[in-house]
Amino acid sequence: MPVDAMEDKQLSPKMVRKERDILKFALEVFAREGFHNADVQVIADLAGVGKGTIYRYFGNKEQLFLATSRRYVEHLGEHVDKQLGILPEEYLTGKRFDLPDLLRRIARACAEYYQKNPYAIEIIIQERAEFRESVYPTHLMFRSESHDRFSLLIEQAMDRGELRKANSQNAAHAYSDLLFGSLINGCLEGKKSSLVERVETAVGFFLDGIVAPEYSARKR
Amino acid sequence: MPVDAMEDKQLSPKMVRKERDILKFALEVFAREGFHNADVQVIADLAGVGKGTIYRYFGNKEQLFLATSRRYVEHLGEHVDKQLGILPEEYLTGKRFDLPDLLRRIARACAEYYQKNPYAIEIIIQERAEFRESVYPTHLMFRSESHDRFSLLIEQAMDRGELRKANSQNAAHAYSDLLFGSLINGCLEGKKSSLVERVETAVGFFLDGIVAPEYSARKR
Amino acid sequence: MPVDAMEDKQLSPKMVRKERDILKFALEVFAREGFHNADVQVIADLAGVGKGTIYRYFGNKEQLFLATSRRYVEHLGEHVDKQLGILPEEYLTGKRFDLPDLLRRIARACAEYYQKNPYAIEIIIQERAEFRESVYPTHLMFRSESHDRFSLLIEQAMDRGELRKANSQNAAHAYSDLLFGSLINGCLEGKKSSLVERVETAVGFFLDGIVAPEYSARKR
Amino acid sequence: MPVDAMEDKQLSPKMVRKERDILKFALEVFAREGFHNADVQVIADLAGVGKGTIYRYFGNKEQLFLATSRRYVEHLGEHVDKQLGILPEEYLTGKRFDLPDLLRRIARACAEYYQKNPYAIEIIIQERAEFRESVYPTHLMFRSESHDRFSLLIEQAMDRGELRKANSQNAAHAYSDLLFGSLINGCLEGKKSSLVERVETAVGFFLDGIVAPEYSARKR
DNA sequence: CATGAATGAGTTTTCATTCAT
DNA sequence: TATGAATGAAAACTCATTCAT
């Protein structure tokens, strides 16, 4: 039985397609109804498969949800990678130095993705609300591997003089938290305003501060 | 029937005490189990009352949850007010000018509160996850009245030259989002690190930026 | 504690009035909602007494219902007696002979009563549906004492040659059943038509038959 | 999901059998306990199915009850049809003229059915008590279509001289009411006496009257 | 493999009844 | 005596999960 991409069994193309369909509708239903109110039967009906099939593919409702979450975090990752193009490699290998720029680009790419896929961010909330630290967070920025790589990047930028000296862990957290908060809250405003704009402005403050330099200087 | 403080019936002291107890344990159970997994019977048992009593006081599970959320947002408000003391009045009436300082103090007070009451922040998540925009957010910073007053404060500070010129709405959002994100994510780290520290650092970046001033100047 | 008129305690006028009020609203609520859907609290509220009072007066919901039923059957009885005036006495003592006339009068009086008090007949149904033979029927015609007296009356009328020779028990049943059916079904038609008319016509057929005499003769 | 025979889904023979079993025990339990006191779990246990199955088949308790009622009214209809054999057709098409005879036969067939299935009549009471005019009456005689056809039959018989001239609607009502009352009240007597006998005698009076012809003549 | 009928554990909610005040 | 707050037993109903076909 195909349990998931995790244990990479060789899935026939048809099965791959079916799995993708299921996850597509799972996203929709979980996002619209919330984890608990989502009815597996509804997902099955939308996906045009039997309920049993979902259970064979994903084991149980929780695993189905987690697979959905994983899937769309991966999508986000792909989108970000595509938007950034070759850049991260260059940054990482030191060919290019401009972390502020990178931070802006990442944030923008995330915001773009969630603006296009508002369901996906709802999944993040649901995961945080239902599964907490046990599985949380699947979210890109908050996976510890990412976080560590990210802290390192920040540290190097500090060394290069791009960023003020500070605790890089804290800085990484602050950036993640701001991004997270902006995305979560921004998506609620719905059509009223642009998620991308909200996120970009927020990151702008993170980078350059909101205090007027003169005022800041005067205080010192 | 005592429905809630909303419709301010004259509740006897005993009933007030009972209501408070129920909400105390409701907080605990909703926070630990999540809205859906919380069993009203468990709350009743912990509070030492019959299940019927809870339903008489709050009507249904949803109202019980919402009352809990309201209660602890009010608590937060009280804590913040107490920590700020006479300050906000002075800021608002223009006797004192230092919004950056106020922003730091508010953030610190929130962080303190949630560090002492980690359950309370879990309620915020649950409310966001379960009830969305319909009721969300009860949270202090995100109530639109607060937000508007807040935007105004920021605008005045910009006029006074304390803050850089920018869209005050956006700035208010960015501050709220950062605070929200830091609290939500910070509380997950649990005992590992201080929520207050995480929030303070984050607000520091919001105020002063992370980009090194020299680097920033060079780029220009 | 006043349990009911059954055990005729000496009730103060105030208590009598209260009991009457309770039964008045009990009638209304039981009739409108049905026995099970009726909420004792609602009756208490309408009667302007505490729920506890109802329980002290009537013991439990079932007894309250039964007391209500009894009360309004008595009312019916009083109405019938009043309409009949001195007649029954005269019939019973043989001063007057015209049972067909009496049967018409009784039926008309019942129909009048229920036309004026449609709630009361609903109580009959509820009692039949909920309590069956155990307590059923409180209804005038169907109480065995009445029934027996009634059968006797019929028998005497047969002897006097007013009625055809037949089994008087059966005849009494047939009359009761017809009356019962007409009242129950007639009240459903509601405002559409007159209950009195329906009942009178029905009793007319019971008395004189529907078959055309000539046809009847021809068949014989 | 098999909702009922109403929406004629293609039910497998097994499902048909299961539905029939459920209704059989539903009849028993509803009749014995009454609608409200009936526990769906008990019906499920008796029918040897899970509670969920009942809810899948019938939606909710009310629908289950109504389906039961419908089922056994249909059974009654079938029994009556069978007992009458070819007769009604002949009456309707005018090949045969003897409505009094038909009325006797119908009443007898109904009485036979309910004598054999005393539970079924209890359902009629329950339906009347719980659901009133909203759904009531499912009962054969009282369905308005039946009633209208019935009135017509009576009218024709009046024209043919079999019945006395009278308002045919009223006559139809009187017959229905008498039948209804006799069945409802007769079944309560239980084993004491024959329902069939009670009903037959009653219809006898409806047809030929109880007043002695001579007495009747003398009065005129 | 795929299905969807069957299941029953688990929860919410109501309301008759009690009893302390 | 009168009250109405408190209670908890009882029942309807849902839906994740299983498994026979």
Side-chain angles (χ1 to χ4, degrees):
Chain A
M1 335 97 180
V3 183
D4 185 26
M6 286 288 89
E7 335 183 358
D8 50 353
K9 307 262 178 158
Q10 55 289 47
L11 304 176
S12 73
K14 192 165 50 156
M15 290 169 70
V16 170
R17 212 174 319 122
K18 201 171 277 192
E19 185 175 308
R20 205 193 47 214
D21 281 359
I22 293 172
L23 289 176
K24 186 174 87 191
F25 291 108
L27 172 75
E28 194 180 315
V29 175
F30 281 130
R32 265 207 317 257
E33 311 290 338
F35 176 73
H36 267 102
N37 295 318
D39 186 337
V40 176
Q41 183 67 65
V42 170
I43 297 171
D45 292 347
L46 288 170
V49 300
K51 214 201 289 208
T53 304
I54 291 190
Y55 278 84
R56 236 168 356 83
Y57 275 61
F58 299 98
N60 60 28
K61 194 183 181 184
E62 181 171 324
Q63 293 305 315
L64 171 62
F65 176 86
L66 261 11
T68 309
S69 182
R70 236 177 282 124
R71 159 74 124 232
Y72 286 91
V73 166
E74 274 160 24
H75 275 193
L76 167 65
E78 287 159 18
H79 179 82
V80 173
D81 285 351
K82 217 183 75 192
Q83 290 301 311
L84 262 43
I86 194 63
L87 291 176
E89 198 52 37
E90 299 182 344
Y91 284 102
L92 282 167
T93 53
K95 283 199 180 136
R96 213 168 145 161
F97 308 95
D98 194 350
L99 193 59
D101 184 52
L102 181 62
L103 295 179
R104 272 187 226 274
R105 285 166 187 264
I106 288 174
R108 161 175 265 277
C110 289
E112 277 167 5
Y113 180 77
Y114 286 119
Q115 187 149 283
K116 252 185 305 190
N117 305 280
Y119 283 152
I121 200 146
E122 207 55 40
I123 296 295
I124 310 276
I125 315 277
Q126 292 295 323
E127 186 175 342
R128 170 65 185 77
E130 182 70 13
F131 302 105
R132 323 260 166 108
E133 52 278 74
S134 74
V135 285
Y136 179 84
T138 316
H139 190 284
L140 188 66
M141 283 299 103
F142 312 111
R143 275 139 90 162
S144 53
E145 348 105 55
S146 305
H147 184 77
D148 291 343
R149 239 174 6 117
F150 201 58
S151 293
L152 184 64
L153 230 48
I154 288 178
E155 209 162 325
Q156 294 170 336
M158 287 176 177
D159 291 340
R160 287 198 308 269
E162 284 168 31
L163 303 185
R164 290 197 281 119
K165 289 287 179 197
N167 179 310
S168 66
Q169 294 276 334
N170 285 346
H173 276 144
Y175 177 76
S176 300
D177 292 346
L178 178 63
L179 192 47
F180 179 79
S182 296
L183 291 169
I184 297 286
N185 292 144
C187 74
L188 275 185
E189 311 263 315
K191 316 300 162 296
K192 276 182 282 178
S193 65
S194 157
L195 184 58
V196 172
E197 194 196 316
R198 180 168 183 151
V199 169
E200 285 197 316
T201 332
V203 170
F205 289 124
F206 171 76
L207 293 172
D208 298 323
I210 193 174
V211 178
E214 314 81 48
Y215 182 75
S216 190
R218 210 182 320 144
K219 296 264 312 185
R220 250 177 274 126
Chain B
M1 328 98 181
V3 183
D4 188 26
M6 288 288 89
E7 335 183 358
D8 49 352
K9 307 260 178 159
Q10 57 288 44
L11 302 176
S12 71
K14 203 185 1 170
M15 290 170 72
V16 170
R17 212 172 319 121
K18 201 170 276 195
E19 184 175 311
R20 207 194 44 216
D21 280 0
I22 293 172
L23 289 177
K24 188 174 84 190
F25 291 106
L27 172 75
E28 192 179 317
V29 175
F30 280 132
R32 265 207 319 257
E33 312 290 340
F35 176 74
H36 268 103
N37 295 316
D39 185 342
V40 175
Q41 183 65 67
V42 171
I43 296 171
D45 291 348
L46 287 170
V49 302
K51 203 185 335 198
T53 304
I54 292 191
Y55 278 88
R56 216 154 35 72
Y57 275 61
F58 299 98
N60 61 29
K61 193 184 181 183
E62 181 171 324
Q63 293 305 316
L64 171 62
F65 177 85
L66 261 11
T68 308
S69 182
R70 239 178 282 125
R71 162 75 124 227
Y72 286 93
V73 166
E74 275 159 25
H75 275 193
L76 166 66
E78 287 160 17
H79 179 83
V80 172
D81 285 351
K82 217 184 74 192
Q83 290 302 309
L84 262 42
I86 194 62
L87 291 176
E89 198 52 36
E90 300 182 343
Y91 284 102
L92 283 167
T93 55
K95 285 204 179 126
R96 215 168 144 160
F97 308 95
D98 194 350
L99 194 59
D101 183 53
L102 182 61
L103 295 180
R104 271 187 228 273
R105 285 165 187 264
I106 289 173
R108 161 176 265 278
C110 289
E112 277 167 5
Y113 180 78
Y114 286 120
Q115 186 150 284
K116 252 186 303 189
N117 306 280
Y119 284 150
I121 199 145
E122 207 57 38
I123 295 295
I124 309 275
I125 315 276
Q126 292 294 323
E127 186 174 341
R128 170 64 184 78
E130 182 70 12
F131 302 104
R132 322 259 166 111
E133 53 279 74
S134 72
V135 285
Y136 177 83
T138 316
H139 191 287
L140 191 66
M141 283 299 103
F142 312 111
R143 275 139 90 163
S144 53
E145 349 107 52
S146 305
H147 183 77
D148 291 344
R149 244 179 356 123
F150 202 60
S151 294
L152 184 64
L153 230 50
I154 289 177
E155 210 162 322
Q156 295 169 335
M158 288 175 175
D159 291 341
R160 286 197 306 271
E162 285 167 30
L163 303 184
R164 291 198 279 121
K165 290 286 180 201
N167 179 310
S168 65
Q169 293 277 334
N170 285 345
H173 275 145
Y175 177 76
S176 300
D177 292 346
L178 178 63
L179 192 48
F180 180 79
S182 296
L183 291 169
I184 297 285
N185 292 143
C187 73
L188 274 185
E189 311 264 317
K191 315 300 160 300
K192 277 182 280 176
S193 65
S194 156
L195 185 58
V196 172
E197 194 196 316
R198 180 169 183 152
V199 168
E200 284 197 316
T201 333
V203 170
F205 289 125
F206 171 76
L207 293 174
D208 299 322
I210 194 173
V211 176
E214 314 81 47
Y215 182 75
S216 191
R218 211 180 319 144
K219 295 263 315 185
R220 253 179 270 126
Chain C
M1 334 94 179
V3 183
D4 186 27
M6 285 288 90
E7 335 182 359
D8 50 354
K9 307 260 181 161
Q10 55 289 48
L11 303 176
S12 72
K14 192 164 49 156
M15 290 169 72
V16 171
R17 212 175 319 120
K18 201 171 276 193
E19 185 175 308
R20 205 193 46 215
D21 280 359
I22 293 171
L23 290 176
K24 187 175 86 191
F25 292 106
L27 172 75
E28 193 179 317
V29 175
F30 281 130
R32 264 208 317 258
E33 311 290 338
F35 176 73
H36 267 102
N37 295 318
D39 185 338
V40 175
Q41 182 67 65
V42 170
I43 297 171
D45 291 347
L46 287 170
V49 301
K51 214 199 290 209
T53 303
I54 291 190
Y55 277 84
R56 234 166 1 83
Y57 276 59
F58 298 97
N60 61 29
K61 193 184 181 183
E62 182 171 324
Q63 292 307 314
L64 171 62
F65 176 86
L66 261 11
T68 308
S69 182
R70 238 177 283 124
R71 160 75 123 228
Y72 286 92
V73 167
E74 276 158 24
H75 275 193
L76 167 65
E78 288 159 18
H79 179 83
V80 172
D81 285 351
K82 217 183 75 192
Q83 291 302 310
L84 260 44
I86 194 62
L87 290 177
E89 198 52 37
E90 301 182 343
Y91 284 102
L92 283 167
T93 54
K95 287 201 181 132
R96 212 168 148 161
F97 309 93
D98 193 351
L99 194 59
D101 183 53
L102 181 63
L103 295 179
R104 271 187 227 274
R105 286 166 188 264
I106 289 174
R108 162 175 266 276
C110 289
E112 278 168 4
Y113 180 77
Y114 286 120
Q115 187 150 284
K116 252 187 301 188
N117 306 279
Y119 284 152
I121 199 146
E122 207 56 39
I123 296 295
I124 309 275
I125 316 275
Q126 291 295 322
E127 186 175 342
R128 170 65 184 78
E130 182 70 13
F131 303 105
R132 322 260 166 108
E133 52 279 73
S134 72
V135 283
Y136 178 84
T138 316
H139 191 285
L140 190 65
M141 284 297 105
F142 312 111
R143 275 139 88 164
S144 51
E145 349 105 55
S146 305
H147 183 78
D148 291 343
R149 241 174 3 118
F150 202 61
S151 293
L152 184 63
L153 229 50
I154 288 177
E155 211 163 322
Q156 296 170 335
M158 287 175 177
D159 291 341
R160 287 198 305 271
E162 284 167 32
L163 303 185
R164 292 197 280 121
K165 291 285 178 199
N167 179 310
S168 65
Q169 294 276 333
N170 285 346
H173 276 145
Y175 178 76
S176 301
D177 293 344
L178 178 62
L179 192 46
F180 180 80
S182 295
L183 291 170
I184 297 285
N185 291 144
C187 75
L188 274 185
E189 312 262 316
K191 317 299 162 294
K192 275 182 281 175
S193 64
S194 158
L195 185 58
V196 172
E197 193 195 318
R198 180 169 183 152
V199 169
E200 285 197 317
T201 332
V203 171
F205 289 123
F206 171 76
L207 293 173
D208 299 324
I210 193 173
V211 176
E214 316 79 50
Y215 183 74
S216 193
R218 207 181 321 143
K219 296 262 315 184
R220 251 180 271 125
Chain D
M1 328 100 180
V3 184
D4 187 28
M6 287 288 90
E7 336 183 359
D8 50 351
K9 308 259 178 160
Q10 57 288 43
L11 303 177
S12 70
K14 206 192 350 178
M15 290 169 73
V16 170
R17 213 173 317 124
K18 200 170 278 195
E19 184 175 311
R20 206 193 46 216
D21 281 1
I22 293 172
L23 290 177
K24 188 176 83 192
F25 291 106
L27 172 74
E28 193 180 315
V29 174
F30 280 132
R32 265 207 320 256
E33 312 290 339
F35 177 73
H36 268 102
N37 296 316
D39 185 341
V40 176
Q41 182 67 66
V42 170
I43 297 170
D45 292 347
L46 287 170
V49 302
K51 198 181 349 195
T53 304
I54 292 191
Y55 278 89
R56 216 153 35 71
Y57 274 62
F58 299 97
N60 61 30
K61 194 184 180 182
E62 180 171 326
Q63 292 306 313
L64 172 61
F65 176 86
L66 261 12
T68 308
S69 182
R70 236 177 283 124
R71 161 76 123 227
Y72 286 92
V73 167
E74 273 159 26
H75 275 193
L76 167 65
E78 287 159 18
H79 178 82
V80 172
D81 286 351
K82 218 183 74 191
Q83 289 303 308
L84 262 43
I86 195 63
L87 292 177
E89 198 52 37
E90 299 182 343
Y91 285 102
L92 284 166
T93 54
K95 284 202 181 131
R96 214 170 146 159
F97 309 95
D98 195 350
L99 195 58
D101 184 53
L102 181 62
L103 295 179
R104 273 188 226 274
R105 286 166 187 263
I106 289 174
R108 161 175 267 277
C110 289
E112 278 167 4
Y113 180 78
Y114 287 120
Q115 186 149 284
K116 253 186 302 188
N117 305 278
Y119 285 151
I121 199 145
E122 208 55 40
I123 295 295
I124 310 275
I125 315 278
Q126 292 295 323
E127 186 175 341
R128 170 63 184 79
E130 181 70 13
F131 302 105
R132 321 257 165 113
E133 52 279 75
S134 72
V135 286
Y136 179 82
T138 317
H139 191 286
L140 189 65
M141 283 299 104
F142 311 112
R143 275 138 90 161
S144 52
E145 349 106 53
S146 304
H147 183 78
D148 291 344
R149 240 172 6 114
F150 202 61
S151 294
L152 185 63
L153 229 49
I154 288 177
E155 209 162 325
Q156 295 170 337
M158 288 175 177
D159 291 342
R160 286 197 306 269
E162 286 167 29
L163 303 184
R164 290 197 281 121
K165 290 284 178 200
N167 180 311
S168 65
Q169 293 276 335
N170 286 346
H173 276 144
Y175 177 76
S176 301
D177 292 345
L178 177 63
L179 192 46
F180 179 80
S182 297
L183 292 169
I184 297 285
N185 292 144
C187 74
L188 275 185
E189 311 264 314
K191 316 298 161 300
K192 277 181 280 175
S193 64
S194 157
L195 185 58
V196 172
E197 195 196 316
R198 179 169 185 152
V199 168
E200 285 196 318
T201 333
V203 170
F205 289 123
F206 171 76
L207 293 173
D208 299 323
I210 192 173
V211 177
E214 315 80 48
Y215 181 75
S216 192
R218 209 181 321 144
K219 297 261 314 183
R220 252 178 270 125

